[in-house]
Amino acid sequence: MKEKLEQILVKASAELEAADQPQKLEELRVAYLGKKGELTAILRGMGSLSAEERPLIGAKANEVRTAIEAMIASAGERIKARETERRLAAEKIDVTVPGTPVRMGARHPLTLVRREIEDIFTSMGFSIAEGPEVEFGYYNFDALNTPANHPARDVQDTFYFSGDMLLRTQTSSVQARFMENHKPPLRMICPGAVYRSDDVDATHSPFFHQIEGLIVDKNIGLSDLKGALTQFSQLFFGPETRVRFRPHHFPFTEPSAEMDVSCFACGGSGCRLCKGEGWIEILGAGVVHPNVLRMAGIDPDVYSGYAFGIGQERLALLKYKIDDMRLLFENDTRFLHQFY
Ligand code: DAH
């Protein structure tokens, strides 16, 4: 029986040495030490031994049991350590590998121009207003001294929905809306999209953007308009910029003008950008027509004001020397990524 115990120890030692999985280790534990295990079977069979043999075999059996338990414990440690090593190797992250680059977006040139214009006018005390692109004919035309039979409608009359609704043709509609909710003194700009039934070419689009401006207060006149727009032009195009007003007609202003800035590329001597003119037109403006104030419930004998409408695309084309307006709307990212 003693030999048998020694054999068990040798065999267990070899098998435990080879065990490399937790479940294999558990099987071995059951096989040797479990209720039906080999060692247990021997201990059970001790009843048939003589009184001298029994304590000797008993002591030997306990020794073998302790040895097997110790081997199981150390095999368990070994298996666990190896498993940890394997996982560490498998989950290793090489932090020095270059990442997948994320392509950064860029601001659209129209956004850049709008923000710059907003910065300039808010620094002059203007607030920023908004109005709907789907508009009533009333705000787009009638409230701006442009009744149904007015010839000025022809140039802009466009994209009607049923009834009196249309896509606004000018941000001037926000003038009328703003004056309904604000009493003078008031000073606002309104950037936004407008629509007209123009065909698409290098300088036209049925969809474009304007920035409207309106100020109403006591004693506001053409000189204030000229001062503010000169300052704007010099901040936007550079301190050397001069401005020039040409008489024009808009139904909602009287007098009305179109404003040119001296060409910032050639300084006024004439070049490709200004088509040899030395001047570049950038906006329409004028002193607010008394009828417009009256329609808004403002007394034109007490208050006066000026208004202007800037073409946002035009300023973007000029500022970034872009020669085709379509580039602004085609969303070709190779083009758009050049601006920030
Ligand atoms: N709304 C005009 C247009 O679209 C531009 C304009 C001219 C706006 C004169 C104004 C203004 O406020 O006073 O052509």
Side-chain angles (χ1 to χ4, degrees), residues 108-110 313 316-317 322 324-330 335:
H108 195 281
L110 285 175
E313 278 75 7
L317 298 186
I322 302 166
D324 193 325
M325 187 165 155
R326 286 168 285 201
L327 287 165
L328 295 177
F329 299 122
E330 282 166 354
F335 168 75

Side-chain angles (χ1 to χ4, degrees), residues 58-119:
K60 183 73 189 167
N62 273 333
E63 198 182 292
V64 170
R65 180 185 191 92
T66 312
I68 293 180
E69 278 171 354
M71 287 189 300
I72 290 176
S74 81
E77 293 292 318
R78 194 191 66 233
I79 291 172
K80 221 161 101 193
R82 202 170 299 156
E83 173 65 9
T84 308
E85 243 168 63
R86 192 194 58 74
R87 279 199 22 221
L88 281 176
E91 293 171 11
K92 188 161 116 190
I93 296 171
D94 182 353
V95 292
T96 66
V97 171
T100 315
V102 177
R103 199 156 183 228
M104 295 294 281
R107 293 214 170 89
H108 195 281
L110 285 175
T111 306
L112 293 169
V113 162
R114 174 174 55 74
R115 289 197 178 183
E116 191 174 345
I117 298 173
E118 285 174 353
D119 280 352

Side-chain angles (χ1 to χ4, degrees), residues 106-123 128 189 191 211 232 236 312 315 319-320 340:
R107 293 214 170 89
H108 195 281
L110 285 175
T111 306
L112 293 169
V113 162
R114 174 174 55 74
R115 289 197 178 183
E116 191 174 345
I117 298 173
E118 285 174 353
D119 280 352
I120 294 174
F121 282 106
T122 50
S123 78
I128 298 174
I189 57 165
I211 294 180
F232 161 73
F236 190 85
Q312 206 174 311
L315 290 204
K319 179 134 202 159
Y320 299 110
Y340 29 79

